Amino acid sequence: MPFNPQAVLIVAAILFVLGLVGVLTRKNIIFILVSVEIMLNAAGLAFVAAGARWGQPDGQVMFLFILAMAASEVSVGLALVMQTHRQHKTLDVQELRELRDKTEEYSSI
Amino acid sequence: MNNLLALIPALPLAGFLILSLTGRHLPKSIIAGIGAGSVSAAALITIFIGMQFLQSPPTGNAYTQTLWQWMQTENFSAGIDLRMDALTLVFVFIITFVGALIHIYSTAFMRHDRDYARFFASMNLFVCSMLLLVMADNLVLMYLGWEGVGLCSFLLIGFWYETPANVAAANKAFYITRIGDTAMAIGLFLLFRELGTLNIPEIMTQAPAHFQPGASNVTWIALLLLAGGMGKSAQLPLQTWLPDAMAGPSPVSALIHAATMVTAGVYLIARMHVVFQLSPVAMAATAAIGAITLFVAGCSAMAQTDIKRILAYSTISQIGYMFLALGVGAWSAGIFHFFTHAFFKALLFLAAGAVIESLHHEHNIFRMGGLKDRMPVVFWTFLAGAAALAALPLISAGFYSKDQILWYAWSAQNGNPMLWLVAIAGALITAFYTTRLMIVVFWGDMKTHIGERPGKAMTIPLMILAVLSIVAGFIEWPHNLVHLSLFSDLVQRYLPETLLQEGHPPEIIFQLVAAAVTLLGVYAGYVLYYKNTSILEQWKASPAMLSLRNFFYKGWGFDDLYDTVFVRPFYFLTRINKSDVFDLLNKGIATTSQRLNEWFSFSQNGSLRWYVVGVLIGIIFVLGLQIWG
Amino acid sequence: MNVLFYLSSAIAIAATIMVITRYKPIHALLYLVVSFMAVAMIFLSLGAPFVAVLEIILYAGAIIVLMIFVVMMLNLGSETAQQEKEWLLPKVWLGPSILSLVLLGEIIYLLLRSGTGNASFIFIDSKKVALSLYGEYIIAVELTGFLLMAGIVGAAHIGKHKKKHLHRFLQEEEVSTKIEVRSTKPEDEKQTKPVAYKP
């Protein structure tokens, strides 16, 4: 059967960029997590396509590792989301800026 | 025998280390024991080695000892190598023997001082550095000693650092000798470029083959080395630091600024005599500088009122005699004058220190007076030293050495009547101001009450030095009187023989003239300051004489001259460059980093999306490189 | 094959666009399930049935369910949807979207430039994958196990419900000051003495 790897990779790229747009435009942490999942999935798709192109199982093995990583990332990430919601009463990432540079505040002391 | 060599500088070094590390906690008696004991032990070893050296001369007329390699590159090596030949022996003997006497004197002189340990640590370090200077086998090690004595001189001039004037004097000494030191360093670089070695015996053998006599390169080297000697030995035009250096304690003046360090220039020229002989210009310059210096400094000494400044100017003047002797080619005469001068000038400074201390730190000689019967030991020893300084015929060491120089100034190979004339005028002046000093201090009415009298630890070194000031000259007699020339026989194992011109007048005439001039100077001093003081009063009334006296008092106005030529233009430059141009560069770097920090800290705003945009732009850039790169 | 691939690709892209533009989290998650299923179809069309099944079980099953649970726990209802509406303004999404499109253009350009045309299709069954996974990748599998363990422990620790969030050093300080205050009272001494601080 004929098969065009470029088309698959372009689909993977489109899915990846859509995930990226989601990360960039949404402020809600839940949506950001969802978008990260989309990006990971797109990367897995690219791996599988490459494996199919060369007839090797390695692409699928890599997809399995990505899957495992996504699972643990999501579990930890959701725990953090719950904790954030509990302490800050918000899910807006723009509100969570404790790690910014505070030079002005220190110099004013 | 060779193994003992390293002990000579090592003992004072050990003393320095012990005193500087633990001196704070030691009682004064132990500090004195370590300080004076280390130098005395070095003196004993020196005498032992010297006896061996005289009885059975070693091969090559030198003991050598290689301690270890100091630095080694492809075509240059310098070691910590010690070398003891005839010239070194004379210097080491003076440094350790006179140094030991001065240390013993200091144990009593400094007994009330708070920083007893610091004083002896500095003195021991000085003795060690000076020994390294004269015992070094290569010029790099010698330069180490050379800078070491400069450092110790600085430390000891500013010993009583609570007084700002003392600190200023220490700084002045350091800066001015630095000019000479820099010139000397350049001279050493040139020498290395020409010969490819700085080992002294190698230079001695290679230089005559490598250089054309009178060539410009060897002349430059010799002149630069001479400039180094001028700075250290306070010769014109770098002499202005020595009178101010009297701010240090009297034993320091005796050891560093009379007997040893200031004669380092003499040592350098004698050590490098091969280079100097190849350059007639440098020889003539040495002689001329010596002659001018001895006259200028002698005139200044006549007008001083501070007892130590008189002696300081006389030191400059006497070193001028040594330079004159070296310049005319009378090598052994110059070293012989160093030998006798070390005894009598150290004696004069120590005796002056005893007087100053007894009179509650009074320095002005016109507030002394009448000490002849009240301090007999100091009087008689001071008299012996003064006689040697004035070169009283036959009974003083100074006569034998200075008479030689006067004779050679005319009749040696490079000598000429002009030099002799200046030297004989200097001899007259020397006799005059020495008589003035003696009469004003020891005769007349007592003007200041005597406090504490000097103890035994101070008077015994004085007496030893007084005896040596008289008898040290007897080892070298004028050729026409007694055929005894032990000293020149010794030093001529290293230094060349003094060559005489054809058709010079007979020596006896010079001796008679020199003796007559000395006696004339003494008589003039006697008349003016003792017998008929009204002449002096008349002079004081005339404005011309008074301005001349002020001119001499200020040391021929050299300080004012340098102030006008160097210091004021420098101040002017600093004033117009008040907001330092070069600082702007440094400040610019600081300001730029601060601005950048402010700008970039804006980017660290804690916003996750902002960071992701940064990553995204980075990826776009990298992929763009792939596309268009 | 080709029709299946293009169809499922279109569905995946469309569903993903819906995911990132929804206001209600639960709607977005349901569209995400659709997207994952479409991707699973792509896997099938690429001759990778094993990962297609895993995609559905793990992604569309486990992970999405986890997220839906959280959404339910946090009670993100219409209130959140209203807030999302306020947040998702053109001035917020226009700039990043253009930048992302530039990136997409670059990627597609690079892919097409280095294209090799059609390739033959090779079916890879789960046996091959399993042999590879437990053969040459065995170390990586072990490490993945560690990662999952760390994920579980981390999630359990972070998700624990704590009343006050204080660093342990600060907690210790607080407790020790309390003990000091108490020890000033003589009658409480007997009780406070054996009490040691337990974090």
Side-chain angles (χ1 to χ4, degrees):
Chain A
M1 267 187 285
F3 147 68
N4 188 356
Q6 261 122 6
V8 189
L9 287 178
I10 286 169
V11 170
I14 291 169
L15 288 179
F16 182 86
V17 168
L18 284 173
L20 187 61
V21 171
V23 170
L24 285 172
T25 55
R26 308 306 293 245
K27 288 184 180 176
N28 194 324
I29 307 177
I30 298 267
F31 278 99
I32 289 175
L33 268 179
V34 165
S35 303
V36 169
E37 290 304 312
I38 296 170
M39 287 162 78
L40 284 171
N41 193 41
L45 177 57
F47 265 117
V48 173
R53 163 70 181 79
W54 300 106
Q56 296 291 328
D58 306 63
Q60 298 188 29
V61 171
M62 283 302 149
F63 181 83
L64 285 179
F65 293 147
I66 289 175
L67 203 61
M69 198 211 76
S72 52
E73 175 249 320
V74 144
S75 58
V76 175
L78 286 174
L80 280 168
V81 167
M82 284 173 64
Q83 206 54 253
T84 309
H85 185 77
R86 200 175 290 143
Q87 289 188 8
H88 297 269
K89 305 295 172 216
T90 179
L91 291 177
D92 185 0
V93 279
Q94 296 295 95
E95 297 289 313
L96 310 171
R97 307 174 64 158
E98 292 295 307
L99 287 176
R100 72 179 180 280
D101 182 53
K102 288 171 185 162
T103 316
E104 302 89 39
E105 291 163 37
Y106 290 137
S107 59
S108 67
I109 292 169
Chain B
M1 183 55 52
N2 283 352
N3 295 341
L4 280 177
L5 223 51
L7 271 181
I8 300 175
L11 282 170
L13 183 66
F16 159 71
L17 289 175
I18 295 170
L19 289 178
S20 60
L21 293 177
T22 64
R24 214 176 269 267
H25 313 291
L26 295 176
K28 282 190 174 176
S29 56
I30 291 179
I31 293 171
I34 293 170
S38 62
V39 181
S40 306
L44 290 178
I45 294 171
T46 308
I47 291 169
F48 177 64
I49 292 177
M51 301 289 253
Q52 295 279 334
F53 189 92
L54 293 175
Q55 279 167 9
S56 55
T59 51
N61 272 328
Y63 295 118
T64 55
Q65 184 177 12
T66 302
L67 290 181
W68 57 81
Q69 188 77 27
W70 183 12
M71 48 180 108
Q72 167 95 54
T73 62
E74 193 179 341
N75 52 6
F76 173 73
S77 75
I80 311 281
D81 300 340
L82 301 179
R83 182 181 170 82
M84 171 88 93
D85 57 15
L87 182 64
T88 305
L89 182 63
V90 174
F91 273 84
V92 171
F93 174 68
I94 291 294
I95 293 161
T96 53
F97 186 71
V98 176
L101 290 177
I102 292 171
H103 273 76
I104 293 167
Y105 172 94
S106 307
T107 57
F109 186 85
M110 302 296 290
R111 65 190 176 282
H112 297 309
D113 204 281
R114 201 151 39 86
D115 289 322
Y116 203 61
R118 181 160 65 89
F119 178 81
F120 277 103
S122 308
M123 289 287 268
N124 275 1
L125 182 63
F126 168 78
V127 171
C128 170
S129 307
M130 191 72 203
L131 288 169
L132 267 188
L133 198 166
V134 297
M135 293 173 80
D137 188 39
N138 57 64
L139 289 171
V140 184
L141 186 58
M142 184 179 139
Y143 197 74
L144 178 74
W146 187 274
E147 293 298 325
V149 294
L151 169 72
C152 296
S153 165
F154 168 79
L155 292 175
L156 286 164
I157 294 169
F159 182 73
W160 289 314
Y161 54 85
E162 282 98 345
T163 314
N166 296 352
V167 179
N171 282 345
K172 188 177 178 184
F174 199 69
Y175 297 150
I176 292 180
T177 51
R178 192 93 353 236
I179 298 170
D181 292 355
T182 310
M184 178 182 161
I186 297 169
L188 294 188
F189 296 154
L190 283 178
L191 197 61
F192 178 72
R193 199 185 66 176
E194 292 290 335
L195 293 178
T197 178
L198 285 177
N199 189 292
I200 291 167
E202 284 177 27
I203 290 171
M204 292 297 116
T205 51
Q206 288 179 18
H210 184 270
F211 293 114
Q212 294 285 326
S216 69
N217 53 4
V218 72
T219 303
W220 272 110
I221 292 169
L223 285 176
L224 286 166
L225 293 180
L226 172 64
M230 277 153 55
K232 207 54 123 191
S233 294
Q235 296 296 291
L236 217 65
L238 301 176
Q239 88 287 24
T240 56
W241 64 271
L242 189 56
D244 288 347
M246 296 302 131
S250 292
V252 173
S253 308
L255 179 62
I256 301 183
H257 304 118
T260 53
M261 186 193 83
V262 287
T263 54
V266 178
Y267 172 79
L268 176 68
I269 294 170
R271 180 56 81 192
M272 289 283 108
H273 63 89
V274 172
V275 176
F276 277 82
Q277 276 176 321
L278 287 167
S279 166
V281 178
M283 292 290 276
T286 311
I289 284 167
I292 296 168
T293 306
L294 76 90
F295 185 74
V296 168
C299 288
S300 303
M302 285 196 297
Q304 301 301 316
T305 56
D306 182 330
I307 185 168
K308 285 180 74 180
R309 283 180 85 89
I310 296 173
L311 294 174
Y313 275 112
S314 87
T315 303
I316 299 176
S317 169
Q318 299 303 310
I319 297 170
Y321 275 108
M322 297 176 208
F323 269 60
L324 173 63
L326 298 175
V328 298
W331 304 100
S332 63
I335 303 301
F336 187 44
H337 196 55
F338 153 76
F339 184 70
T340 56
H341 172 256
F343 292 128
F344 67 73
K345 189 53 65 69
L347 165 63
L348 285 172
F349 268 115
L350 294 185
V355 169
I356 289 166
E357 208 196 29
S358 302
L359 297 184
H360 313 286
H361 299 281
E362 179 58 63
H363 279 244
N364 192 332
I365 55 170
F366 290 101
R367 277 186 238 135
M368 296 174 179
L371 300 176
K372 181 163 67 84
D373 302 323
R374 291 177 181 85
M375 299 174 72
V377 177
V378 175
F379 168 67
W380 286 108
T381 52
F382 202 97
L383 187 64
L389 177 60
L392 278 187
L394 297 180
I395 55 158
S396 70
F399 169 74
Y400 295 97
S401 56
K402 202 186 261 179
D403 173 65
Q404 257 192 354
I405 293 175
L406 289 173
W407 181 47
Y408 285 135
W410 181 308
S411 61
Q413 209 174 21
N414 299 331
N416 66 46
M418 270 306 294
L419 293 175
W420 177 78
L421 211 60
V422 178
I424 201 82
L428 175 70
I429 293 167
T430 309
F432 174 72
Y433 68 67
T434 312
T435 314
R436 167 179 178 262
L437 178 63
M438 279 305 294
I439 289 173
V440 172
V441 173
F442 289 100
W443 271 272
D445 303 325
M446 196 171 80
K447 287 156 192 124
T448 309
H449 174 71
I450 297 177
E452 210 175 348
R453 277 163 210 279
K456 278 216 168 59
M458 285 164 79
T459 52
I460 288 170
L462 287 181
M463 287 190 271
I464 295 171
L465 284 171
V467 171
L468 283 168
S469 298
I470 294 167
V471 303
F474 296 151
I475 59 171
E476 174 91 4
W477 283 73
H479 304 282
N480 54 350
L481 292 180
V482 177
H483 268 286
L484 185 70
S485 56
L486 294 173
F487 190 85
S488 54
D489 289 348
L490 173 65
V491 293
Q492 275 167 11
R493 289 186 196 174
Y494 180 75
L495 294 169
E497 231 173 295
T498 309
L499 300 171
L500 296 180
Q501 284 172 342
E502 294 291 317
H504 54 81
E507 193 178 348
I508 185 75
I509 294 177
F510 291 101
Q511 283 159 349
L512 290 177
V513 170
V517 161
T518 304
L519 293 174
L520 181 67
V522 172
Y523 180 70
Y526 168 70
V527 167
L528 283 176
Y529 284 92
Y530 191 72
K531 199 176 173 205
N532 201 350
T533 46
S534 60
I535 301 173
L536 216 59
E537 297 300 322
Q538 280 174 11
W539 284 0
K540 274 182 188 166
S542 83
M545 290 303 281
L546 211 60
S547 62
L548 185 68
R549 183 244 170 216
N550 277 339
F551 182 61
F552 285 159
Y553 180 73
K554 288 183 171 173
W556 292 53
F558 271 99
D559 278 330
D560 294 336
L561 179 71
Y562 292 159
D563 200 40
T564 318
V565 178
F566 297 113
V567 179
R568 277 179 206 287
F570 183 73
Y571 275 145
F572 176 70
L573 278 177
T574 55
R575 240 198 329 275
I576 58 174
N577 191 18
K578 211 168 191 173
S579 60
D580 200 339
V581 177
F582 301 102
D583 257 11
L584 286 182
L585 188 69
N586 299 335
K587 280 182 191 161
I589 294 170
T591 318
T592 310
S593 353
Q594 207 167 358
R595 284 277 171 283
L596 283 175
N597 168 40
E598 280 167 23
W599 292 343
F600 285 131
S601 78
F602 166 73
S603 76
Q604 197 200 337
N605 55 6
S607 164
L608 179 73
R609 296 163 65 220
W610 178 265
Y611 298 161
V612 177
V613 167
V615 175
L616 175 59
I617 291 172
I619 297 170
I620 290 174
F621 177 71
V622 171
L623 288 183
L625 284 183
Q626 283 258 302
I627 294 170
W628 290 288
Chain C
M1 160 66 211
N2 272 336
V3 179
L4 184 62
F5 168 71
Y6 287 117
L7 195 63
S8 47
S9 296
I11 293 171
I13 290 167
T16 309
I17 289 171
M18 296 303 275
V19 169
I20 61 170
T21 53
R22 290 309 88 191
Y23 297 135
K24 287 189 177 171
I26 199 76
H27 290 181
L29 287 171
L30 290 175
Y31 275 114
L32 189 58
V33 173
V34 176
S35 167
F36 283 156
M37 282 177 158
V39 172
M41 280 311 292
I42 297 176
F43 287 157
L44 261 185
S45 74
L46 289 176
F50 179 59
V51 290
V53 171
L54 276 186
E55 172 96 9
I56 290 174
I57 295 175
L58 277 177
Y59 264 124
I63 291 176
I64 297 293
V65 167
L66 201 60
M67 283 184 154
I68 289 173
F69 273 150
V70 170
V71 168
M72 280 157 58
M73 272 175 75
L74 299 182
N75 198 14
L76 303 173
S78 50
E79 218 174 289
T80 317
Q82 188 57 38
Q83 204 174 25
E84 289 290 321
K85 214 171 193 171
E86 287 162 19
W87 282 344
L88 209 60
L89 299 171
K91 67 165 185 177
V92 176
W93 58 258
L94 206 58
S97 302
I98 290 169
L99 268 179
S100 305
L101 280 178
V102 171
L103 179 65
L104 182 64
E106 280 186 347
I107 295 173
I108 292 175
Y109 174 80
L110 281 173
L111 284 173
L112 293 178
R113 196 176 66 170
S114 61
T116 52
N118 283 355
S120 58
F121 174 91
I122 300 159
F123 185 83
I124 300 163
D125 62 357
S126 53
K127 189 183 172 190
K128 260 187 176 174
V129 177
L131 282 176
S132 176
L133 198 60
Y134 292 101
E136 52 195 316
Y137 288 104
I138 182 68
I139 302 278
V141 171
E142 297 280 350
L143 288 175
T144 309
F146 286 141
L147 179 70
L148 287 169
M149 191 61 160
I152 290 167
V153 173
H157 179 72
I158 293 169
K160 227 181 349 183
H161 189 84
K162 276 177 259 174
K163 266 186 183 167
K164 210 173 177 189
H165 191 74
L166 266 180
H167 196 266
R168 56 194 162 89
F169 294 157
L170 298 172
Q171 287 173 339
E172 206 162 343
E173 214 169 64
E174 207 179 7
V175 169
S176 64
T177 49
K178 268 181 198 165
I179 289 172
E180 269 170 36
V181 169
R182 260 192 280 166
S183 66
T184 51
K185 298 176 190 170
E187 65 269 18
D188 282 341
E189 240 175 40
K190 280 173 199 167
Q191 293 173 352
T192 52
K193 250 188 184 175
V195 171
Y197 166 68
K198 280 175 195 163

